[in-house]
Amino acid sequence: MSRIADVVMKPRAGKLLVPFFTAGFPDMKTTVALVKAAADAGADMVELGMPFSDPLADGPEIQHSSKAALDNGTDLRAILKAVEQLQREVDLPLILMGYYNPLLTYGETRFLKRAASVGVDGFIIPDLPVEEAAGFKTAVESNRMSAVFLVAPTSSPDRVRLIDKYSTDFIYAVTVTGVTGAGRTFGTDTDRYMRRLKKQLTKPFVAGFGVSSAESARRLTRYADGVVIGSALVKIIRNAANRRSCLKHVSRFLAEVRGAL
Amino acid sequence: MRSKKPVQPDKRGRFGDYGGRYVPETVMYALDQLTRCYRHIKHDAAFKAKFKELLSSYVGRPTPLYYAERLTAHLNGPRIHFKREDLTHTGAHKINNTVGQILLARHMGKKRIIAETGAGQHGLATATVCARFGLECVIYMGAVDIERQAPNVDKMQLLGARVVPVESGSRTLKDATSEALRDWVTNVRSTFYIIGSVVGPHPYPMIVRDFQTVIGRETKQQCRRVLGRLPHAVIACIGGGSNAIGIWEPFLKEHKVKLIGVEAAGYGLSSGRHAATLKRGRPGVLHGSYSYLIYDSDGQIVLPHSVSAGLDYPGVGPQHSHLKDSGRVVYQAVTDKQAIAAFKLTSRLEGIIPALESAHAIAWLVKNAGEFKKNHQVVICLSGRGDKDMGILADWGRIAP
């Protein structure tokens, strides 16, 4: 059984806590430290964002962090190197999330092989819907990694089934129609949608986009098997005065959410 | 034996290898819905009649095919004809497409319209049809473009549209498109996204092409009637490529007609500062489709450059990528300087101020008139008028020669 399957099937504290960090923001050294801090704070796995020049599914926070990461020279090679280091130091599944063009440019087959060899556990590509992903899914799985697809509030029951089938171990449920960004409040609409997913999906699912408090995380996990927290963390990191306070605030926030799940 | 011509695009929205749907899951249902609706409405007699009626009484079609006598004499090359899309309502071919898409939006019951714009011509054409049909209109436009195409911004606002300046990235068409897509992902249930060129996820490249094909159908008829034959060549400028596909579509199977697409070489093809996607790019994924694209060795999109805001885009429509690979169309490029010179030349010789975009097509012929015989007939798609570009011209120095 893969590490992801292992974690997803039996999370240690009931629900999955999945932090997202933009790799290389504010710099790769801090990213590595953040992943370790997240592991200590009780994260079940971590998503690392591969920055792209035109992140069209992302709101201002992740747009900004992506640009900053690119400006300091973060590329796929640097990210793989960081993953390699992290895999020696923490026991935590790492998922890479990013747009398709950089992968395509590196060479899809070559990149996936290399990613698997340094210990990447899975992939989320927000601009690669299932229709375009047959080859990608096969390549990811043949390298013994996990392909994670997104489901949205607008996905029809047929599409939900297809996404369920395509995803190797679990599904990423986008909470609301929109781009990434913290500070949403989730109402009864979201409850209804989460309940529908619980019924229609056969695999576990985590909810993400706009999750910014322990309270919203708790509400979503009434039905979802976990939450992804991204923009809220990126914002804490952006506002931190230095690396130490950045790590401190991120750890505190994650511990608080962990406590609520 | 009758050869079975493959339908373009195929069911997956592919022109050969190019096209597809590389978009967030949230909007996939809207693309399915749009595809179904368009398939149905395309053959609907009432829709076709309404579209035709609007093209005639509102847009001012058919547009003339004009013999550019003094330019012909000046170049001492082929006989040059302009397809006068500059004479349409709002002054560019973009209105053909927005009239079609607004009818689609109404049919689908959408109350809010969004669009991206570069030169402002598509934004203007969208704001215009929104005013005509009383729909809310939001236009995303790069901050750089807002500055260099100011007259169009005023017009859009006069027509009741909200123009949102886009400050991210290169602050031009690329970022305006990303921002429009983000809006669509957020408001997809209420909102219809009127894409302005033959780009984006399937079915947009097909729909925009179909609505623009009226240019080519008229041109073909006019050539037969006025010249008594098909032209030797049809030349058009390429940004995303909608005026080019529109005028070429009826000629694609006429293999004797040379089709020449002219991209923006900016400061020069080897300067690294151009928008010549097909000449210098490689296949990649941006804004919903797989097509030629300008990006660096890490797959990051490179900021394009063209003096013409409408061509200042790092991508191109997927059908163009296919036409390039198949060899049916020859793609060329001219520099900012050559385009400006052609802009001035056409103004002085013909009393027609062409859009800087269209001036690229003219500039290629100015440079290459010698490739044709004097009795050859060449059509240039004059995709729009150049009033909007007066400010840019002033930046380039003396307006008088």
Side-chain angles (χ1 to χ4, degrees):
Chain A
M1 207 185 317
S2 74
R3 275 209 302 187
I4 286 190
D6 211 28
V7 165
V8 166
M9 298 319 278
K10 36 184 180 197
R12 37 187 167 154
K15 297 289 181 179
L16 299 163
L17 173 60
V18 188
F20 166 100
F21 302 110
T22 300
F25 177 70
D27 53 72
M28 198 60 92
K29 210 169 147 188
T30 308
T31 303
V32 169
L34 282 165
V35 175
K36 291 190 217 166
D40 292 340
D44 296 284
M45 48 187 157
V46 166
E47 280 178 21
L48 283 179
M50 303 179 279
F52 181 50
S53 53
D54 298 79
L56 57 86
D58 286 300
E61 204 62 66
I62 292 176
Q63 285 176 44
H64 168 264
S65 65
S66 301
K67 183 167 189 312
L70 289 174
D71 286 348
N72 70 36
T74 305
D75 60 11
L76 294 182
R77 283 159 206 84
I79 295 171
L80 293 179
K81 228 171 107 186
V83 170
E84 197 164 23
Q85 181 192 344
L86 278 165
Q87 293 298 16
R88 285 194 301 266
E89 299 172 14
V90 288
D91 181 24
L92 196 69
L94 292 173
I95 297 179
L96 297 186
M97 179 164 185
Y99 296 82
Y100 196 41
N101 201 55
L103 262 73
L104 211 56
T105 308
Y106 193 108
E108 193 175 304
T109 315
R110 203 160 71 88
F111 182 70
L112 294 178
K113 215 176 210 162
R114 179 97 185 90
S117 77
V118 300
V120 171
D121 294 273
F123 279 96
I124 306 172
I125 311 293
D127 61 348
L128 196 66
V130 285
E131 278 83 349
E132 305 292 352
F136 179 77
K137 170 191 162 59
T138 311
V140 167
E141 288 179 350
S142 68
N143 282 292
R144 303 166 64 88
M145 296 183 293
S146 188
V148 184
F149 290 93
L150 297 106
V151 67
T154 50
S155 305
S156 64
D158 281 351
R159 295 195 60 84
V160 173
R161 270 191 290 279
L162 197 61
I163 291 160
D164 190 38
K165 206 175 99 188
Y166 260 69
S167 299
T168 315
D169 297 298
F170 73 99
I171 290 97
Y172 187 136
V174 176
T175 53
V176 287
T177 59
V179 294
T180 59
R184 288 207 177 81
T185 46
F186 301 107
T188 47
D189 277 6
T190 315
D191 293 340
R192 260 200 306 279
Y193 159 56
M194 291 284 129
R195 204 166 12 194
R196 169 167 80 94
L197 289 182
K198 186 88 200 157
K199 240 191 282 177
Q200 289 171 347
L201 293 169
T202 65
K203 290 174 183 140
F205 70 102
V206 298
F209 280 38
V211 188
S212 60
S213 67
E215 193 201 328
S216 57
R218 187 164 38 212
R219 179 163 193 154
L220 291 167
T221 50
R222 270 164 42 194
Y223 301 102
D225 300 284
V227 286
V228 181
I229 301 184
S231 299
L233 290 170
V234 171
K235 189 176 172 189
I236 294 174
I237 297 164
R238 177 168 59 83
N239 288 330
N242 52 48
R243 187 179 297 158
R244 229 183 91 211
S245 88
C246 162
L247 292 171
K248 193 177 83 188
H249 285 107
V250 164
S251 301
R252 191 183 295 161
F253 177 64
L254 286 176
E256 190 193 327
V257 178
R258 175 78 278 168
L261 295 180
Chain B
M1 200 178 82
R2 243 181 2 156
S3 73
K4 214 171 141 202
K5 196 174 154 264
V7 183
Q8 296 279 10
D10 65 17
K11 264 199 216 148
R12 296 173 56 232
R14 297 275 176 168
F15 301 88
D17 290 342
Y18 303 103
R21 282 181 180 169
Y22 295 85
V23 290
E25 170 63 22
T26 310
V27 298
M28 285 299 283
Y29 98 100
L31 295 172
D32 280 339
Q33 199 182 41
L34 179 59
T35 307
R36 272 197 309 275
C37 179
Y38 180 66
R39 195 189 301 137
H40 166 77
I41 210 173
K42 199 164 90 163
H43 305 291
D44 180 68
F47 174 82
K48 284 199 287 195
K50 183 78 189 159
F51 183 47
K52 207 173 153 191
E53 196 269 317
L54 281 169
L55 285 182
S56 140
S57 68
Y58 193 62
V59 174
R61 304 206 71 92
T63 59
L65 186 70
Y66 164 81
Y67 172 49
E69 192 178 350
R70 293 189 69 215
L71 186 64
T72 297
H74 178 80
L75 296 180
N76 196 27
R79 292 172 71 86
I80 302 165
H81 308 269
F82 290 157
K83 177 60 175 167
R84 297 291 305 275
E85 292 302 296
D86 60 316
L87 292 178
T88 55
H89 180 40
T90 72
H93 74 289
K94 295 291 184 189
I95 188 98
N96 303 324
N97 168 49
T98 60
V99 164
Q101 287 201 49
I102 201 89
L103 292 178
L104 262 173
R106 272 163 56 89
H107 182 81
M108 292 171 77
K110 304 282 185 181
K111 300 277 183 252
R112 180 173 177 271
I113 303 294
I114 58 169
E116 82 295 336
T117 197
Q121 290 301 124
H122 174 57
L124 178 59
T126 304
T128 298
V129 296
C130 286
R132 167 66 182 78
F133 287 101
L135 296 177
E136 185 190 347
C137 179
V138 179
I139 304 291
Y140 290 93
M141 188 168 185
V144 168
D145 292 339
I146 285 184
E147 203 171 304
R148 62 178 164 174
Q149 308 277 237
N152 275 341
V153 178
D154 294 341
K155 287 185 208 165
M156 286 184 264
Q157 285 169 342
L158 175 66
L159 291 161
R162 191 159 67 87
V163 180
V164 180
V166 177
E167 298 284 355
S168 58
S170 58
R171 304 189 297 152
T172 58
L173 181 54
K174 165 179 86 89
D175 306 281
T177 307
S178 295
E179 211 50 41
L181 277 163
R182 290 185 187 113
D183 180 313
W184 200 38
V185 168
T186 308
N187 302 296
V188 61
R189 289 189 175 102
S190 67
T191 298
F192 191 99
Y193 181 12
I194 298 190
I195 293 187
S197 192
V198 287
V199 301
H202 176 66
Y204 279 105
M206 171 181 79
I207 291 179
V208 178
R209 174 198 68 193
D210 291 356
F211 288 148
Q212 291 293 4
T213 299
V214 63
I215 308 173
R217 278 201 307 271
E218 286 175 11
T219 304
K220 202 168 176 182
Q221 267 175 15
Q222 288 163 327
C223 285
R224 285 213 166 105
R225 204 175 58 232
V226 181
L227 315 176
R229 54 159 299 147
L230 293 181
H232 292 84
V234 182
I235 307 171
C237 66
I238 313 268
S242 67
N243 87 89
I245 285 284
I247 198 167
W248 291 340
E249 172 65 30
F251 294 102
L252 285 175
K253 51 184 189 297
E254 309 287 354
H255 285 271
K256 284 191 179 145
V257 180
K258 270 175 96 170
L259 304 178
I260 298 153
V262 185
E263 295 190 304
Y267 293 121
L269 284 180
S270 48
S271 69
R273 301 214 55 207
H274 57 74
T277 310
L278 290 160
K279 289 290 275 186
R280 282 292 179 271
R282 291 164 289 158
V285 169
L286 181 71
H287 294 153
S289 63
Y290 178 67
S291 192
Y292 276 78
L293 188 63
I294 305 175
Y295 56 91
D296 67 15
S297 57
D298 291 326
Q300 309 295 343
I301 311 307
V302 171
L303 300 191
H305 165 79
S306 169
V307 66
S308 138
L311 306 184
D312 199 353
Y313 183 68
V316 68
Q319 189 169 6
H320 285 294
S321 295
H322 180 60
L323 289 169
K324 174 193 159 85
D325 286 5
S326 73
R328 175 63 188 96
V329 177
V330 178
Y331 292 91
Q332 305 286 1
V334 302
T335 62
D336 287 352
K337 218 169 150 182
Q338 291 166 328
I340 295 271
F343 179 92
K344 290 185 178 175
L345 186 70
T346 307
S347 301
R348 294 192 65 85
L349 289 179
E350 295 296 342
I352 294 172
I353 303 174
L356 264 178
E357 290 77 13
S358 323
H360 281 71
I362 301 168
W364 182 83
L365 189 62
V366 168
K367 211 173 60 172
N368 298 283
E371 282 195 13
F372 299 90
K373 292 192 182 130
K374 284 188 77 168
N375 63 353
H376 279 180
Q377 309 283 355
V378 170
V379 174
I380 295 177
C381 188
L382 205 80
S383 55
R385 55 192 283 168
D387 318 34
K388 67 184 179 62
D389 296 316
M390 294 309 291
I392 297 175
L393 192 65
D395 293 345
W396 273 71
R398 282 165 11 111
I399 288 176

